[in-house]
Amino acid sequence: MHRDLVRHVETHDIHPVIDRRIDFLDAPAAYPAQTSGGLFGKVVIELG
């Protein structure tokens, strides 16, 4: 089933919705961002 899912995601070029990008040095800010209201997509911590 996992292989089928991966094939489907790759075939249809599906990507997650990213709501916010937070620099690694500000990583603690990701926690309140994740729990705040109005979040639509993923909170991403960027490395580098």
Side-chain angles (χ1 to χ4, degrees), residues 10-33:
E10 289 175 348
T11 301
H12 297 284
D13 199 28
I14 297 173
H15 299 279
V17 176
I18 297 174
D19 188 80
R20 296 184 192 152
R21 295 177 186 269
I22 299 175
D23 187 74
F24 180 75
L25 296 176
D26 296 326
Y31 294 103

